[in-house]
Amino acid sequence: MTATLIASGTDRRSSLGMAAAVAVEGARLTGAETLVIELGEGAQRRGPTLLAAAGARRVEEALRADDLRASARGHVCHLALADPGEGLDALGPAIDRAEPELVVIHLPSSLWVPTLESGLRVDGGVLLVSLPAERSLAALAVGEMKGRGLPVRISSRPPGPLAARRALAGVPPGGAASDLARSIARRLLDLGWPGGPGSSREGGRQGQALPALLGAGLILILAALALTAIGGAATGRGRVQRAADLAALSAVRSMRDDVPRLLAPASLPSGAPNPQRLSRGEYLERARLAAIDAARRNRVDPSRLRVAFPDSSANPPLRARATVVGEVDPGRLPGGRRLANRAPIRVVARAVAEASAPVSSWTGMPAMAEGGGYSGPLVYRDGEGMRPDVAAAFDRMSASARRAGLDLVVVSGFRSDAEQAQLFARHPDPRWVAPPGHSLHRCATELDLGPSSAYGWLASNAHRFAFVQRYSWEAWHYGFAGGPAPCSSAGNALGPDGQGAGAPSSTALPGFVPGPYRASILRSASRWNVSPGLLAAQLMAESGFNPRAVSPAGALGIAQFMPATARSYGLRDPFDPIASIDAQAHLMADLLRRFHSVPLALAAYNAGSGAVAACGCIPYAETRAYVARILALANGAGVLLSPPLEVRLVK
């Protein structure tokens, strides 16, 4: 008998990632043929992956036989039903036809109760909410499920972007995201309980997901159902929060995009004013206007929006807080006719967003390739390794695809001969899987890309970024043809920045580097195999190339060495700019080798290796601004050191 779980949340993207993670871990725990259904507006069809479980392929074939465009993706089969009304009606027949053993349905929170009342057999639910702010919504879910004798799990920890992408590709998200999803799946499927999925649940097991955490939250159910009047338009409280979220995100996107202009020199080399440069006031005002535009687009009266910048004194500011003030009309509440003459109830929704350096390249995976035809450094995108110059080209192509409304995903990258042998043993068809020793994936220049909706764009645009489609029958397989030949000595000799390790050229240096220091930076970059553009941007952020600089904390010289660190790297005089640049390159080489990530290496240079290693993150707000400034300086000068700054909600 099929076990069916429903999943929802206040943020569609995060809750979709959670639903996919629960489905993948449920499939791994039980070995069940698993179907993930994405229901409602915004549901997106996702193409099949190169590798998929036999059960997922069987479910795919059963659904496609009925003209439903399902896709086998890793451990699960995915089906998108975009029309909420027709999709809800189609759920039962689709499940009956496919006969999967486990179904996870992701749906908008507005369809939670209609789905329960549709006659579809439901065995449990999972809700991703922000606690305690969304305690009332969590209470609604618990109360509704408890009344039906069904278990529900509440989570306030969304999977990260990389974990969510992996889950949507049908593979384990990894780390804490896998642990949490596995725990939720085990509880909802009653694994280890007599009777298994769908068995009766006695007394104390019903609806006991969050009794202590919710406390008096059950009495707030009406607040979660309230309609809020904003700018004269009646809309749900969820829209108030979404409006605040989108306003904050829009402000920060503007800030991220404008950082190079904020940090640009005030004057051109000719001495004329630089027309591209923004003052701090102009930079923040553009962000404020972006937030207001987002509010208008979401039918929110701008007079109800407040925008603030909590780190306005930072250099650069990269945080924005949006507050939307609305009113609950008591007469619009369920059963609220008796309250029609009551005064409106004030409702406030807040959101804080920031731009921060991505650290997903710190994967714990090998920094150097081995066991294949390539033996140089590996750079990771979506958890898949590739040659550094391939990663830089992919970043440019991915940015162009985003502007066209597409998110590219790397499904597969570098594979050793041993990994290729395992793959070939499972799929011994040379047309689809090359025998070990023959696959170009062993050269770290080949990428399998998704989703399938991007295939047309890739066919028309990939060549602009030096990617070529290797085989006409593989719409997802693209190889990089813009650098050294695959599996060549020249390819192995590339440095971590994608430049040749032997002789970086002056073109690798941004124009803001003063003449007296250009040769020293290039020489030290070559000696220690570090990007000269990275060293240059770092020196600009540290001291503005002032060899006599002294910080309030006691850091000295052009590279701002603390005395103890200077001694450990043999730097006798931190005010000697040439020796300091060489020590800086030596230290950055060590940090890059340890952390395998430019953002984390920069964070360790600023905050210390111990603080970065303890959390695997950029630990302090000041350090986050430091890293963002260096990456913006480098990227603004055309030196790509890492993926673009990530914009995300933090509150």
Side-chain angles (χ1 to χ4, degrees), residues 3 5 18-36 75-76 101-104 170 172-173 177-178 180-189 191 197:
L5 309 177
M18 173 63 76
V22 170
V24 169
E25 294 300 335
R28 296 178 69 206
L29 282 168
T30 62
E33 297 180 348
T34 301
L35 173 63
V36 177
H75 289 279
V76 304
E101 297 166 306
L102 172 62
V103 179
V104 177
S178 271
L180 177 60
R182 191 179 308 115
S183 173
I184 291 173
R186 181 176 283 113
R187 293 294 186 91
L188 292 180
L189 296 174
L191 296 181

Side-chain angles (χ1 to χ4, degrees), residues 50-447:
L50 187 62
L51 300 179
R57 292 198 182 278
R58 190 205 65 77
V59 174
E60 176 192 52
E61 291 170 1
L63 290 171
R64 291 200 174 204
D66 285 298
D67 296 326
L68 290 173
R69 301 179 67 185
S71 303
R73 298 172 62 82
H75 289 279
V76 304
C77 179
H78 178 272
L79 175 65
L81 299 173
D83 185 277
E86 293 182 5
L88 191 56
D89 293 337
L91 278 178
I95 295 171
D96 290 341
R97 285 193 293 270
E99 296 183 332
E101 297 166 306
L102 172 62
V103 179
V104 177
I105 304 168
H106 179 266
L107 40 75
S109 55
S110 61
L111 293 181
W112 184 276
V113 173
T115 301
L116 292 173
E117 295 177 345
S118 67
L120 180 71
R121 174 193 169 89
V122 175
D123 294 277
V126 56
L127 194 69
L128 181 66
V129 294
S130 175
L131 295 174
E134 298 291 344
R135 187 174 64 173
S136 56
L137 184 57
L140 171 64
V142 171
E144 189 68 38
M145 300 295 274
K146 181 177 180 180
R148 299 171 186 270
L150 299 172
V152 60
R153 308 305 296 174
I154 308 295
S155 175
S156 60
R157 290 185 291 161
L162 177 59
R165 282 188 175 187
R166 289 179 63 84
L168 286 168
V171 298
S178 271
D179 294 341
L180 177 60
R182 191 179 308 115
S183 173
I184 291 173
R186 181 176 283 113
R187 293 294 186 91
L188 292 180
L189 296 174
D190 292 353
L191 296 181
W193 294 357
S199 64
S200 62
R201 299 164 176 83
E202 301 299 331
R205 289 175 180 165
Q206 294 185 3
Q208 296 302 310
L210 283 183
L213 182 60
L214 293 175
L218 291 172
I219 66 173
L220 300 177
I221 291 176
L222 288 181
L225 298 174
L227 295 177
T228 307
I230 299 182
T235 185
R237 185 196 183 284
R239 182 171 291 170
V240 184
Q241 187 61 58
R242 285 195 296 275
D245 293 347
L246 291 171
L249 288 169
S250 297
V252 173
R253 286 193 184 101
S254 170
M255 297 163 80
R256 178 197 63 186
D257 295 343
D258 282 348
V259 164
R261 298 184 63 185
L262 175 68
L263 301 177
S267 302
L268 298 173
S270 64
N274 185 350
Q276 291 299 311
R277 185 177 186 273
L278 293 175
S279 68
R280 183 176 294 261
E282 291 170 330
Y283 171 80
L284 296 178
E285 183 60 23
R286 284 168 61 89
R288 189 187 312 276
L289 291 175
I292 291 173
D293 181 62
R296 284 199 180 102
R297 290 175 181 270
N298 286 277
R299 293 179 288 173
V300 173
D301 187 335
S303 67
R304 295 183 178 273
L305 173 69
R306 302 288 183 271
V307 182
F309 304 100
D311 65 341
S312 58
S313 60
N315 189 20
L318 287 169
R319 275 199 167 204
R321 180 175 63 243
T323 304
V324 175
V325 180
E327 294 176 345
V328 173
D329 178 3
R332 301 295 297 274
L333 294 172
R337 294 179 181 176
R338 295 172 299 167
L339 307 176
N341 296 324
R342 299 285 184 89
I345 303 170
R346 189 169 180 264
V347 174
V348 179
R350 295 184 178 88
V352 178
E354 73 171 10
S356 58
V359 296
S360 57
S361 55
W362 188 40
T363 62
M365 298 178 184
M368 303 293 289
E370 59 182 19
Y374 170 67
S375 58
L378 285 174
V379 178
Y380 292 88
R381 298 292 183 265
D382 295 328
E384 298 293 334
M386 61 197 74
R387 217 168 64 181
D389 58 334
V390 179
F394 172 77
D395 289 341
R396 291 190 289 269
M397 184 167 68
S398 180
S400 179
R402 278 196 300 273
R403 290 192 290 272
L406 296 167
D407 284 322
L408 296 182
V409 179
V410 181
V411 178
S412 183
F414 172 75
R415 287 199 294 266
S416 67
D417 290 336
E419 292 170 323
Q420 189 70 22
Q422 294 175 358
L423 182 62
F424 187 75
R426 293 195 297 268
H427 305 275
D429 182 349
R431 178 179 170 84
W432 296 102
V433 180
H438 295 274
S439 169
L440 286 176
H441 279 282
R442 66 197 299 271
C443 303
T445 55
E446 311 303 296
L447 302 178

